[in-house]
Amino acid sequence: YIDGLGGVSPPSNTAEARPIVFPDFEYTPSTLPMAYSFGSIELLDLAGENIITTDDWVGAFNGDQCVGFMQINENTGACDCNDLEDCATIMYLYGDDGSESSAGYLNSGDIPTFKIWDGSTNNYYGTDSPESDCLAFEDEEACCSDMLAADIFGCTNPESCTYDSDATVDDE
């Protein structure tokens, strides 16, 4: 069995089993999709190393409303924004089609925000705004940004009682 941390875990009916954990991203697809992709997705540690793994997920939001998500895969970051046809990192975001289940979803011109969920820590990290001229939602369109990146905010002073060893940016 593979657990939520990506490790091998004993069968779930044993005391040694770790719980399977998934991000708290929920949405119902609507009839108005838009494809988004990123040439690179990064979660940077204090040394500036990308610690993104296949246990991590990216969620897209309109305010607090989740409008799409995707799990990181081995090919994430292998996307050429000039050729979305062969891109393995496409995430579909959904617009408000007037149905009750899509209330609060994206409308034409809305720009989504993104969060990275780190499966190894069960933490969510807001991302820097991707740089692209196509981020505004338009149904049945496609957008690719070169990079989606998140810093981990917290206390980076190891002498402080609030030190966070995962933090990459001091939140003073």
Side-chain angles (χ1 to χ4, degrees):
Y1 297 94
I2 304 297
D3 62 25
L5 304 176
V8 176
S9 181
S12 60
N13 60 350
T14 66
E16 299 83 34
R18 293 187 294 190
I20 295 175
V21 179
F22 292 104
D24 191 19
F25 296 149
E26 292 183 27
Y27 73 97
T28 301
S30 75
T31 60
L32 301 176
M34 182 172 174
Y36 282 75
S37 191
F38 304 96
S40 176
I41 300 174
E42 297 181 356
L43 180 60
L44 304 175
D45 68 7
L46 195 53
E49 298 292 319
N50 188 8
I51 58 171
I52 205 93
T53 71
T54 56
D55 295 330
D56 303 333
W57 295 64
V58 174
F61 294 84
N62 186 32
D64 291 332
Q65 177 65 56
C66 183
V67 294
F69 62 82
M70 67 175 248
Q71 184 174 12
I72 303 297
N73 63 49
E74 284 97 19
N75 297 322
T76 300
C79 181
D80 177 0
C81 284
N82 295 318
D83 186 14
L84 284 179
E85 300 258 337
D86 295 325
C87 191
T89 60
I90 294 175
M91 171 173 46
Y92 289 93
L93 279 57
Y94 294 92
D96 187 338
D97 63 8
S99 67
E100 187 177 317
S101 63
S102 70
Y105 282 24
L106 296 163
N107 289 303
S108 182
D110 288 346
I111 296 177
T113 57
F114 299 90
K115 294 179 185 178
I116 295 176
W117 178 72
D118 182 349
S120 66
T121 63
N122 195 26
N123 287 323
Y124 296 84
Y125 301 103
T127 63
D128 299 328
S129 292
E131 295 194 15
S132 178
D133 59 357
C134 64
L135 287 175
F137 182 82
E138 297 297 332
D139 64 351
E140 299 186 14
E141 294 289 327
C143 179
C144 185
S145 179
D146 289 333
M147 184 187 325
L148 181 67
D151 290 309
I152 303 171
F153 290 86
C155 179
T156 59
N157 180 353
E159 303 299 316
S160 172
C161 64
T162 60
Y163 174 65
D164 181 351
S165 62
D166 292 328
T168 60
V169 175
D170 203 312
D171 64 357
E172 287 188 279

